[in-house]
Amino acid sequence: MDFGFSQEDETFRAEVRDWLAAHAGAGTDRRTWERTLGKAGWIGLGWPEQGYGNRAATLTQQVAWAEEYARSGAPPRSGHIGENLLAPTLLVHGTDEQKARFLPPVAAGEELWCQGYSEPGAGSDLAGVRTAAVREGPHYRITGQKIWTSLAHEADWCFVLARTDPGSRRHHGLSFLLVPMDQPGRVEVRPIRQMTGTSEFNEVFFDGAHARAEHVVGAEGRGWQVAMSLLGFERGVSTLAQQIGFAEELAKVVATAAETGGLDDPVLRERLVRQWAELRTMRWNALRTLGGSGDPGAPSVAKLLWATWHQRLGELAVGVRGATAAAGPTAWSPAAPYELDAAQHLFLFSRADTIYGGSDQVQRTIIAERVLGLPREPKGAV
């Protein structure tokens, strides 16, 4: 695929660069930053429809935006779950009323979302969901637990995969519900402290939480189809922006290796060159598949590539420093805060790369069954 940028696209890239330079420090917190983006129309560039406060942008312009955003050092996004997952799902499966209610606040950066999929015992095997939703007149009453819910502590809403048919098994009898998080006593969020000392992920407990009946997406009992459609939106233009960040991390590892004399080690040099070559391969593979459809294995291949690559980079980040990598940035004491430097954080956090978003084992199963046509793995009664 020739992914060269036209003069119009380069003009768009320059506009993006200038705007980010002028505004990247405007947000005093992540929510304020989302509103800053929304006010300028930068949320929802990839949506196939306009009219919700978003700009129109071609696929190449979306790539330009993602790359310039990654290079600019702009604040981390809190609204990407609503923008890149919920919104495309509503545009395909939602009613006109649902689109009118939920898309403008997402485009404005006013409402933040989280994803209520994984549960204890139903992580990578999503069809094992046990969270229940019972219809009670104009609303559903939801009871159950979700886990590893990114940014739930900041979110206003959660899209929840729940079982609305109590006698159903596996992927039957599931529904996709839009649930407000501000329900004291009915929705509880508990942050999960990780090895890094941070808490991006959360447990979410629903104890009779309410969701309005008109906020079921795709009709009751069709939640599996909607959920699978949403997962198809998880990897796209953002992959290229992710690779910009990867390249910056790799450059820092190489610079550290040069400072410590690690480049004199032929084995270490070979590992660094391999990381560089594989990153280039990932970029061209992402460009090749970008905007394509009908390839059920492409998202799984991409996830396998970047997750294992990033995990190896984390190992290199501490490996090039030798024994000094075991020492923290500050003197340790029981009363001191838990601190890591950037390389240590990369090493520890990247251990999760091959688990979240569908483990490596699940990705290989998808490729085996849906691409290679191998016999399906037994998953119990249906």
Side-chain angles (χ1 to χ4, degrees):
M1 175 188 293
D2 180 8
F3 221 79
F5 288 89
S6 67
Q7 183 58 49
E8 180 182 357
D9 296 328
E10 291 296 348
T11 300
F12 177 86
R13 183 186 288 276
E15 179 187 356
V16 168
R17 191 181 300 119
D18 291 345
W19 188 89
L20 287 169
H23 294 86
T28 57
D29 55 57
R30 287 161 64 125
R31 186 176 288 269
T32 300
W33 176 239
E34 290 298 319
R35 291 170 177 161
T36 301
L37 291 170
K39 186 176 181 180
W42 293 116
I43 300 176
L45 296 180
W47 299 355
E49 299 178 22
Q50 290 179 261
Y52 303 107
N54 57 311
R55 300 185 184 213
T58 65
L59 187 58
T60 51
Q61 289 172 345
Q62 293 169 45
V63 172
W65 161 259
E67 291 184 338
E68 292 301 327
Y69 191 95
R71 291 191 178 101
S72 72
R77 294 289 308 279
S78 291
H80 62 280
I81 295 175
E83 177 186 9
N84 298 323
L85 298 183
L86 176 74
T89 302
L90 288 181
L91 288 166
V92 173
H93 299 284
T95 64
D96 289 341
E97 292 76 15
Q98 289 169 347
K99 295 175 188 178
R101 164 60 186 85
F102 292 108
L103 293 183
V106 170
E110 294 290 343
E111 291 183 348
L112 305 180
W113 286 79
C114 61
Q115 175 175 315
Y117 274 18
S118 295
E119 300 180 6
S124 294
D125 182 16
L126 189 58
V129 161
R130 291 182 294 177
T131 293
V134 179
R135 178 72 181 265
E136 294 182 342
H139 63 261
Y140 287 85
R141 180 169 51 83
I142 304 167
T143 304
Q145 177 187 359
K146 298 295 181 178
I147 198 167
W148 306 120
T149 308
S150 300
L151 303 178
H153 56 295
E154 299 181 12
D156 304 294
W157 289 80
C158 181
F159 48 88
V160 176
L161 189 63
R163 198 164 293 281
T164 47
D165 181 351
S168 63
R169 298 290 301 275
R170 303 297 300 165
H171 59 274
H172 300 289
L174 298 172
S175 296
F176 190 99
L177 300 100
L178 309 180
V179 183
M181 295 291 284
D182 186 14
Q183 299 190 53
R186 294 176 176 171
V187 179
E188 180 184 359
V189 177
R190 298 181 189 172
I192 300 173
R193 190 168 185 263
Q194 299 142 218
M195 289 190 297
T196 56
T198 56
S199 302
E200 294 91 349
F201 305 115
N202 305 269
E203 294 178 282
V204 181
F205 295 86
F206 299 101
D207 186 8
H210 286 182
R212 294 170 63 176
E214 62 265 31
H215 291 168
V216 175
V217 180
E220 182 177 305
R222 291 191 54 81
W224 183 256
Q225 291 84 350
V226 177
M228 292 301 99
S229 175
L230 181 143
L231 290 176
F233 298 123
E234 256 191 315
R235 316 193 218 295
V237 170
S238 59
T239 301
L240 291 165
Q242 179 190 54
Q243 291 168 9
I244 298 293
F246 286 172
E248 293 177 353
E249 290 175 338
L250 176 58
K252 292 177 182 176
V253 172
V254 172
T256 300
E259 293 170 2
T260 60
L263 294 182
D264 296 331
D265 181 345
V267 174
L268 184 57
R269 283 204 310 271
E270 190 275 337
R271 290 174 65 190
L272 290 169
V273 170
R274 180 177 293 274
Q275 288 292 120
W276 177 87
E278 290 178 351
L279 182 58
R280 298 299 298 174
T281 300
M282 283 194 291
R283 175 172 175 78
W284 291 114
N285 183 64
L287 291 173
R288 180 183 63 84
T289 60
L290 192 64
S293 60
D295 184 352
S300 293
V301 170
K303 175 60 167 56
L304 280 172
L305 286 173
W306 75 253
T308 55
W309 184 93
H310 200 226
Q311 203 167 83
R312 292 196 305 273
L313 183 67
E315 295 166 358
L316 271 171
V318 294
V320 297
R321 293 168 54 185
T324 61
T330 59
W332 182 89
S333 76
Y338 186 83
E339 290 190 37
L340 300 170
D341 61 31
Q344 292 166 336
H345 186 278
L346 172 59
F347 170 69
L348 291 176
F349 194 86
S350 64
R351 307 317 296 169
D353 287 343
T354 52
I355 301 173
Y356 69 78
S359 69
D360 277 12
Q361 292 83 353
V362 168
Q363 305 305 333
R364 291 189 176 96
T365 297
I366 291 172
I367 294 169
E369 295 177 353
R370 301 182 188 178
V371 180
L372 302 179
L374 298 178
R376 289 188 173 272
E377 179 183 12
K379 290 184 171 62
V382 177

